[in-house]
Amino acid sequence: MDVLSLPFIQHAILAGILASVACGIIGSLVVVNRSVFLAGGIAHAAYGGVGLAFFLSLPPLPCIIGFSLFMALIMAAFTVERRHRMDTFIGVLWAVGMATGIILIDLSPGYNVDLMSFLFGSILTVPVSDIKVMAAVDILIIGAMCGFYKEFLAMSYDMEFARVRGLPVRLFHFLFMALVALAVVMTIRVVGLILVMALFTIAPYLTERFSASLAGMMVTSTIANIVFVFTGLWISYRYNLTSGATIILVAALFFMIFIILSRFASCPRKP
Amino acid sequence: MAPGGDQQTTVLPEGQSRAGEVPDVEIENCSFAFNSVPVLRDVNIRIYHGDFVAIIGPNGGGKTTLVKLMLGLLKPQKGRVRLLGSDPAKSCRRVGYMPQYSTGEKGFPITVMDVALLGRLGLTGIGCRFTREDREAALGALRLVGMEKYMNKRIGDLSGGQIQRTLLARALISNPEVLFLDEPMASIDIDGQSMLFDLLGELNKKMTILFVTHDVGLLSRYIKSIICVNETVYFHHEPKISPDMASLMMGTGEKCPVEMVAHGIPHRVLGRHERD
């Protein structure tokens, strides 16, 4: 177990826990709101932030956070009324964000190897400064959930009813989108842009049907994510595989086992 | 009853006005369109306190839209809506709302108790937790609709009728002055329906009740007025369907999938007209 004494492994474990918390909480909210496509749009549009950081030689994380927040708020403005064809609009922003990122990187001098870490994750090379930012974002997310749990619950369960009860749903929708953007950006550090959605959706999907409350779902999803990240990390270290992809395949394995088991379990049970 | 028959009827487009009293719901010359398709045209309605109104009409006739206009969830392109004498956005907290039940919410991780508690939103401030008092109110409302023994059950483990009753408890918990119910009787069996009507009849002593139904066979003896909606709106200040209403629902060609079969009802709705 002397692997655990290696600083980069310690950082990876810390980053994994922090990202699991963010994905467990916000992923649950995304899944019960049926906003997975929206989260995917924000995750991919975040690539524009990567391009912007390279182009302007800015520190990547704050730049991506800023850009993703900006994109999330634009999407929030168009989805708050649940308008007709809002999914098309999300698809457009999704594509435009990625294209902007690619063009900006084309225009940046020199090819930067670090780019691949944004696409596929680089949990083994997470710098301490990023861990601090992640910790701050986690505290923000937990704080928002503790402070406004019943508001988020009301909005997720029945937005129209919440409006009739006088809840400023527009404000909370913007807050929700902003939190999704923050959580997405953090997950990019761990498993990469391409694989963000799996950590966001698999654990909440597995825990949704067993949870009696949204809060319970958030906690169990967080625990499930930590299991995925640790198992994936250990396998990737042991067999020298790409850590992000390994984490996702571990999650997918749990997902498949769950589906098969629940088939067997649900057969004799009466509804 | 021949569609478009030219019988003289007592249609009061604005309801019977009561001098000096502010109506609970007031709609003046309202029109509403969805993506430029007209849903409601030139609606004029005044509903006074204590009324028990059934909103009937065919599917897609605009019943739910009318309720959402009253609640301020939709804004009319033309005309004015007042709820309890002011802008619905301000007064909507003083009403109870039970939306149409959809099967989509079955997977949501929430218990019966927590659904009922959401009705206390707006009474307990933003950022505050629900209090013991809120929980007692929720328990009281659940007891009223006979759902207290299921309070810790997940909403997904309930039948459609039990979910409906939970949603009714959520609407009642804030002691509303006006109660809006959208298809409250859907997926509730006949016994449950008459029990629900008895409860609503009792509640009607304190509050104005408006409920949407597409099933004309469901009008009960507690009803005092009927609003018939099929793009245009008729307000009948009697619990009877006039020939005009029938023709509005039935006589418009393709838009007529309304059940006019009056089976098993405790009250005659397709009544004789006194003047005939």
Side-chain angles (χ1 to χ4, degrees), chain A residues 22 45 60 82 98 100 180 207:
Chain A
R82 311 246 158 180
M98 287 218 88
T100 308
V180 169
T207 57

Side-chain angles (χ1 to χ4, degrees), chain B residues 120 130-138:
Chain B
R120 298 288 288 186
F130 287 123
T131 59
R132 193 194 172 86
E133 191 190 333
D134 291 326
R135 286 179 188 283
E136 273 160 18

Side-chain angles (χ1 to χ4, degrees), chain A residues 44-228:
Chain A
H44 285 78
Y47 193 71
V50 177
L52 200 65
F54 278 113
F55 185 67
L56 299 173
S57 314
L58 293 170
L61 195 55
C63 190
I64 303 170
I65 287 179
F67 188 83
S68 303
L69 275 178
F70 174 69
M71 292 302 260
L73 294 184
I74 293 179
M75 290 192 198
F78 278 84
T79 52
V80 67
E81 302 292 347
R82 311 246 158 180
R83 284 178 205 199
H84 192 49
R85 291 186 172 257
M86 72 175 203
D87 55 336
T88 311
F89 189 80
I90 295 166
V92 170
L93 277 186
W94 177 314
V96 167
M98 287 218 88
T100 308
I102 287 167
I103 296 297
L104 286 175
I105 285 162
D106 280 350
L107 297 175
S108 306
Y111 176 69
N112 203 320
V113 182
D114 204 31
L115 182 64
M116 289 305 278
S117 76
F118 282 100
L119 283 172
F120 297 105
S122 62
I123 194 168
L124 297 176
T125 60
V126 179
V128 177
S129 61
D130 281 8
I131 290 178
K132 284 181 185 160
V133 177
M134 285 186 183
V137 171
D138 268 10
I139 290 168
L140 196 71
I141 288 172
I142 293 170
M145 283 311 130
C146 290
F148 303 113
Y149 177 72
K150 78 176 194 302
E151 284 77 16
F152 278 112
L153 178 66
M155 198 192 73
S156 307
Y157 183 65
D158 190 341
M159 203 175 210
E160 287 199 325
F161 184 83
R163 262 179 75 187
V164 172
R165 296 303 315 152
L167 188 77
V169 287
R170 192 176 288 268
L171 182 72
F172 278 97
H173 185 68
F174 275 90
L175 188 54
F176 169 51
M177 288 289 106
L179 290 174
V180 169
L182 286 176
V184 158
V185 170
M186 286 188 46
T187 324
I188 288 172
R189 302 294 299 176
V190 185
V191 292
L193 193 60
I194 310 292
L195 305 173
V196 155
M197 297 321 296
L199 256 203
F200 241 57
T201 51
I202 291 179
Y205 176 84
L206 296 182
T207 57
E208 188 180 29
R209 65 188 71 187
F210 300 116
S211 307
S213 70
L214 183 58
M217 182 176 166
M218 288 171 172
V219 172
T220 45
S221 297
T222 299
I223 294 167
N225 273 338
I226 290 175
V227 171
F228 298 156

Side-chain angles (χ1 to χ4, degrees), chain B residues 21-260:
Chain B
E21 194 186 326
V22 179
D24 278 0
V25 180
E26 188 176 21
I27 298 184
E28 277 179 284
N29 299 316
C30 271
S31 293
F32 183 82
F34 252 131
N35 298 317
S36 71
V37 178
V39 181
L40 292 169
R41 269 189 296 122
D42 303 321
V43 180
N44 284 287
I45 292 172
R46 275 194 201 132
I47 296 162
Y48 288 91
H49 197 73
D51 210 343
F52 194 144
V53 187
I55 302 174
I56 60 170
N59 295 330
K63 305 184 295 289
T64 297
T65 304
L66 183 65
V67 167
K68 286 187 178 176
L69 281 172
M70 290 172 176
L71 288 166
L73 288 171
L74 295 171
K75 298 260 175 289
Q77 278 91 6
K78 201 181 118 221
R80 196 178 74 135
V81 178
R82 308 286 280 175
L83 180 61
L84 293 163
S86 63
D87 182 12
K90 285 200 191 103
S91 46
C92 60
R93 257 180 257 204
R94 290 159 61 195
V95 308
Y97 172 45
M98 175 183 168
Q100 211 164 342
Y101 160 66
S102 76
T103 49
E105 61 198 53
K106 275 228 160 192
F108 202 101
I110 191 166
T111 59
V112 168
M113 182 67 178
D114 286 344
V115 171
L117 269 175
L118 290 180
R120 298 288 288 186
L121 216 68
L123 298 173
T124 302
I126 289 172
C128 305
R129 279 164 192 279
F130 287 123
T131 59
R132 193 194 172 86
E133 191 190 333
D134 291 326
R135 286 179 188 283
E136 273 160 18
L139 196 60
L142 287 173
R143 202 169 282 138
L144 207 59
V145 298
M147 283 299 291
E148 80 277 15
K149 57 180 174 292
Y150 303 104
M151 59 182 262
N152 293 320
K153 280 248 182 204
R154 261 179 61 117
I155 200 91
D157 297 333
L158 304 178
S159 71
Q162 288 171 324
I163 294 177
Q164 293 272 75
R165 282 193 274 161
T166 308
L167 296 181
L168 178 63
R170 183 181 68 167
L172 288 175
I173 193 177
S174 55
N175 279 323
E177 291 164 56
V178 188
L179 185 60
F180 292 88
L181 312 160
D182 198 345
E183 298 280 4
M185 303 299 169
S187 63
I188 292 184
D189 56 37
I190 301 284
D191 286 350
Q193 284 175 1
S194 76
M195 264 163 58
L196 197 54
F197 268 122
D198 289 344
L199 172 62
L200 292 178
E202 190 59 36
L203 290 168
N204 186 225
K205 290 173 185 164
K206 290 182 291 182
M207 57 186 84
T208 311
I209 297 178
L210 289 91
F211 84 97
V212 169
T213 180
H214 69 279
D215 187 354
V216 180
L218 264 182
L219 305 182
S220 95
R221 64 201 154 93
Y222 295 110
I223 286 161
K224 295 171 185 162
S225 315
I226 293 177
I227 290 176
C228 179
V229 187
N230 191 2
E231 207 176 313
T232 49
V233 167
Y234 275 69
F235 194 135
H236 208 55
H237 217 78
E238 267 185 286
K240 287 189 180 166
I241 296 172
S242 71
D244 269 12
M245 287 176 151
S247 70
L248 182 66
M249 289 194 296
M250 304 173 80
T252 45
E254 64 269 31
K255 263 193 184 173
C256 63
V258 131
E259 297 156 45
M260 289 294 283

